[in-house]
């Protein structure tokens, strides 16, 4: 019997993401035959009570996506079980080991990373770290390189590297996977994917929500460690990496590590020129008054809720091409996108009369709220008008797909939760979309250098009004290079 154990099975991540993902996989007939799903948490409740809570959470999400049916739920319900445990105690885990037996076991730690070391040590003592076992770790693992290594050394003592799956749910998104297909499956793009054709790259992750009650966690991590260290650097790696020899997990991850090793260190002398820290103050967000971070926290803080960084990759392909990353809370839009800005044509033949100015091509890879790819190209306006215009060509992942019967577009497929693919891959032992130890080490090393440069240079967060695109210094980061962010104030 194969088993999936959800440590923290009654928590927010499990109820909001993991269990609905498992229901959708059940609905589509994709879960392994005979798989048992066991929730494990401290809460002293019966299996029936736990299953009732799962039913409520899953049904709400499935009905919203219009894929709820009782037959699928009945099949999933038959897989579900629950056990109250202290995951840091080997004795407490023994009944869990008895329940799963000697079959393949995948354990997902949907708990605070501060507990990882104690839990994996207890798992090893309880027989839940055998060769047929895998473990999935939710980010962030640690808050700097030192704490990451302390936690990961404990993980490595219990599990070998090929049993460890460090999850970054952004890598499960459809568009992120399509980025690999776009680059390495099409001859029209890869020859242009270098410093001869590309002027710069922008990566934006904007959130409209504030920190709110999460401030104790956020005060320790800030935007740099919470978002840039994992999500943003992973996206940068996929854009910048060299073509892997094949799609073997280690081949892909080897190329990502090379990118991280090529990142130019940010020194205290350069911190103010190439980085921006920001913190939101009171304003209006999504049409409603929004408190400042200090007000939510109850006292002043130097924690950044916004960060923007210029990263330079010192290798042949990307020499001279800046990568601009920005992320923040209380921004005008919930938006995640990668912008590939191409260089202008070397000489325009259209700059006479009133034909208009030729603008450079731009590719926008949007991850949310939609998952689309668009390429803007210059063309002549239709009709007798001679003027040129920049027009997008949509390569949409949200539109309908051709219907083989009548040639018309069918309804677009349901947008999957990123965890659906990642859970399937983890249970199958496919680590392509997961983060290897040396990747995480290199990412933390670079982020630690940024943090230390801030501390040594005394760089404090600049204020920005909630509902805007960050502090003015973020615009200056681009403007001093003669460039602009893709998004502007709404």
């Amino acid at each position: 019997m194969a088993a999936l154990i959800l440590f923290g099975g009654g928590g927010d991540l499990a109820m909001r993401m993991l269990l609905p993902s498992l229901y959708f996989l059940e609905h589509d007939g994709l879960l392994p035959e005979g798989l048992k799903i066991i929730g494990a948490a401290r809460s002293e409740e019966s299996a029936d009570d736990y299953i009732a809570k799962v039913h409520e959470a899953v049904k709400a999400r499935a009905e919203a996506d219009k894929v709820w049916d009782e037959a699928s739920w009945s099949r999933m319900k038959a897989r579900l079980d629950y056990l109250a445990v202290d995951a840091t105690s080997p004795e407490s885990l023994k009944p869990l080991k008895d329940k799963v037996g000697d079959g393949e076991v995948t354990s997902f730690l949907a708990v605070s990373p501060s507990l990882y070391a104690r839990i994996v040590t207890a798992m090893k003592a309880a027989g839940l770290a055998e060769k047929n076992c895998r473990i999935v770790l939710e980010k962030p693992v640690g808050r700097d390189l030192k704490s990451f290594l302390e936690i990961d050394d404990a993980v490595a003592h219990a599990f070998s590297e090929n049993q460890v799956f460090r999850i970054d749910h952004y890598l499960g998104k459809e568009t992120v996977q399509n980025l690999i297909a776009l680059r390495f499956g099409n001859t029209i793009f890869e020859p242009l994917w270098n410093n001869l054709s590309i002027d710069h790259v922008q990566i934006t992750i904007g959130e409209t929500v504030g920190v709110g009650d999460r401030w104790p966690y956020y005060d320790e991590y800030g935007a740099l460690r919470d978002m840039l260290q994992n999500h943003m650097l992973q996206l940068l790696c996929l854009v910048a990496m060299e073509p892997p020899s094949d799609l073997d997990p280690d081949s892909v991850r080897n190329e990502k590590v090379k990118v991280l090793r090529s990142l130019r260190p940010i020194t205290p002398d350069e911190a103010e020129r190439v980085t921006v820290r920001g913190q939101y103050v009171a304003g209006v967000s999504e049409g409603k008054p929004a408190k400042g971070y200090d007000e939510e926290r109850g006292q002043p803080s130097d924690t950044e809720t916004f960060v923007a960084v210029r990263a330079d990759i010192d290798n042949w392909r990307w020499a001279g091409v800046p990568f601009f990353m920005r992320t923040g809370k209380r921004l005008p839009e919930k938006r995640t996108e990668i912008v590939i800005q191409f260089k202008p044509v070397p000489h325009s033949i259209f700059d006479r009369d009133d034909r208009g100015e030729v603008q450079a091509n731009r590719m926008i890879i949007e991850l949310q709220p939609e998952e689309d790819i668009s390429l803007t190209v210059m063309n002549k306006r239709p009709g007798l008008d001679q003027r040129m215009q920049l027009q997008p060509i949509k390569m949409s992942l949200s539109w309908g797909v051709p219907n083989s019967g009548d040639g018309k577009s069918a309804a677009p497929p349901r947008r999957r939760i990123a965890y659906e693919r990642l859970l399937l891959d983890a249970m199958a032992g496919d680590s392509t979309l997961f983060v290897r130890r040396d990747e995480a080490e290199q990412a933390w090393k670079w982020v630690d250098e940024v943090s230390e440069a801030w501390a040594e240079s005394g760089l404090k967060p600049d204020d920005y009004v909630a509902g805007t695109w960050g502090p003015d210094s973020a615009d200056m980061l681009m403007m001093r290079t003669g460039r602009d962010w893709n998004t502007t104030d709404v």
Side-chain angles (χ1 to χ4, degrees):
M1 179 192 77
L4 173 64
I5 302 172
L6 301 179
F7 287 97
D12 178 70
L13 177 62
M15 291 293 176
R16 191 168 48 88
M17 290 291 181
L18 304 181
L19 288 157
S21 294
L22 291 165
Y23 167 82
F24 290 132
L25 293 173
E26 180 70 79
H27 179 272
D28 295 338
L30 297 174
L31 287 181
E33 187 176 348
L35 176 73
K36 290 292 292 181
I37 302 168
I38 303 170
R42 287 181 178 273
S43 177
E44 291 288 348
E45 59 185 325
S46 68
D48 287 343
D49 289 341
Y50 176 73
I51 291 170
K53 288 200 304 188
V54 174
H55 175 265
E56 184 180 347
V58 165
K59 186 176 183 180
R61 178 63 187 262
E63 285 183 338
D65 284 11
K66 297 181 173 59
V67 289
W68 173 259
D69 70 73
E70 292 294 339
S72 298
W73 167 249
S74 295
R75 294 195 303 273
M76 181 173 173
K77 181 180 179 181
R79 299 179 185 271
L80 287 170
D81 202 349
Y82 178 79
L83 201 62
V85 299
D86 174 1
T88 64
S89 164
E91 286 303 314
S92 183
L93 291 180
K94 289 288 177 61
L96 188 57
K97 169 61 179 173
D98 294 339
K99 195 175 279 284
V100 300
D102 296 323
E104 285 194 354
V105 179
T106 303
S107 297
F108 194 118
L109 300 193
V111 299
S112 169
S114 63
L115 298 173
Y116 286 177
R118 293 164 62 196
I119 290 176
V120 295
T121 302
M123 289 175 69
K124 182 175 178 61
L128 289 170
E130 303 301 313
K131 289 185 177 180
N132 61 341
C133 298
R134 304 183 185 96
I135 188 163
V136 184
L137 306 177
E138 181 70 26
K139 74 92 187 176
V141 181
R143 69 174 303 277
D144 52 24
L145 180 59
K146 181 177 182 291
S147 56
F148 166 76
L149 291 175
E150 288 172 354
I151 294 170
D152 218 61
D153 283 348
V155 173
H157 183 69
F159 294 88
S160 61
E161 179 61 27
N162 64 358
Q163 295 174 282
V164 180
F165 293 76
R166 298 172 194 83
I167 204 166
D168 186 329
H169 71 270
Y170 268 60
L171 298 183
K173 289 180 176 290
E174 193 72 33
T175 332
V176 173
Q177 296 164 61
N178 261 299
L179 179 56
I180 297 176
L182 186 80
R183 283 195 58 190
F184 305 127
N186 298 283
T187 53
I188 61 173
F189 293 122
E190 183 56 24
L192 305 177
W193 216 263
N194 53 51
N195 57 3
L196 300 179
S197 301
I198 292 177
D199 177 79
H200 72 277
V201 176
Q202 300 178 26
I203 302 174
T204 294
I205 301 180
E207 299 180 277
T208 56
V209 298
V211 176
D213 293 338
R214 292 181 66 236
W215 71 260
Y217 160 82
Y218 211 81
D219 224 38
E220 185 179 0
Y221 284 81
L224 179 70
R225 294 180 173 91
D226 183 52
M227 296 295 289
L228 191 138
Q229 184 274 336
N230 41 76
H231 299 329
M232 304 198 84
L233 286 183
Q234 284 294 317
L235 296 179
L236 179 144
C237 285
L238 291 172
V239 171
M241 72 182 189
E242 295 296 318
S245 56
D246 51 42
L247 284 179
D248 178 80
D250 278 334
S251 298
V252 174
R253 297 190 296 181
N254 286 345
E255 299 305 330
K256 287 161 66 182
V257 171
K258 289 178 186 176
V259 174
L260 293 169
R261 287 176 176 163
S262 300
L263 285 173
R264 184 183 302 168
I266 291 177
T267 64
D269 291 341
E270 290 197 318
E272 190 170 357
R273 183 178 68 85
V274 298
T275 73
V276 173
R277 302 180 75 196
Q279 185 184 106
Y280 61 83
V281 296
V284 177
S285 178
E286 299 183 302
K288 298 177 182 177
K291 293 180 178 179
Y293 180 69
D294 281 355
E295 294 176 81
E296 292 174 335
R297 187 178 182 276
Q299 56 184 326
S301 166
D302 284 339
T303 299
E304 77 281 352
T305 61
F306 175 97
V307 62
V309 177
R310 170 183 170 156
D312 289 274
I313 300 172
D314 290 332
N315 62 22
W316 279 30
R317 181 184 288 264
W318 297 113
V321 178
F323 283 68
F324 296 96
M325 297 179 282
R326 65 171 173 172
T327 182
K329 304 283 189 185
R330 288 289 185 220
L331 300 187
E333 299 176 50
K334 182 178 175 63
R335 171 176 295 274
T336 301
E337 68 179 14
I338 302 167
V339 177
I340 311 295
Q341 179 64 59
F342 291 93
K343 291 181 177 179
V345 294
H347 172 70
S348 174
I349 63 173
F350 301 103
D351 57 356
R352 297 175 180 84
D353 305 321
D354 60 350
R355 293 174 186 261
E357 183 181 351
V358 174
Q359 299 179 55
N361 304 127
R362 171 178 285 186
M363 179 183 288
I364 300 177
I365 302 162
E366 191 176 349
L367 280 70
Q368 61 182 20
E370 302 300 328
E371 294 193 39
D372 290 321
I373 299 173
S374 65
L375 178 66
T376 55
V377 298
M378 291 300 298
N379 75 337
K380 190 188 80 65
R381 291 185 179 181
L384 300 178
D385 195 331
Q386 292 295 309
R387 285 178 294 175
M388 304 287 287
Q389 65 180 6
L390 196 64
Q391 180 173 331
I393 300 174
K394 282 279 188 181
M395 296 176 279
S396 178
L397 305 176
S398 299
W399 294 358
V401 293
N403 185 305
S404 57
D406 57 12
K408 297 180 181 178
S409 290
R414 176 182 65 83
R415 188 182 305 167
R416 291 191 179 275
I417 302 173
Y419 283 99
E420 294 178 48
R421 172 173 293 279
L422 297 172
L423 283 166
L424 278 182
D425 285 356
M427 289 187 286
D430 184 347
S431 56
T432 306
L433 297 176
F434 295 83
V435 179
R436 202 168 62 191
R437 176 174 170 129
D438 53 348
E439 276 185 78
E441 280 188 42
Q442 286 296 323
W444 275 124
K445 181 176 182 292
W446 191 75
V447 164
D448 279 359
E449 290 168 348
V450 175
S451 181
E452 288 160 9
W454 285 349
E456 194 169 328
S457 64
L459 188 65
K460 303 293 185 185
D462 295 327
D463 290 345
Y464 66 97
V465 177
T468 64
W469 279 108
D472 293 341
S473 48
D475 292 326
M476 285 302 301
L477 177 71
M478 295 287 279
M479 289 171 62
R480 68 171 59 101
T481 70
R483 302 174 174 96
D484 294 299
W485 291 108
N486 183 50
T487 43
T488 55
D489 288 329
V490 293

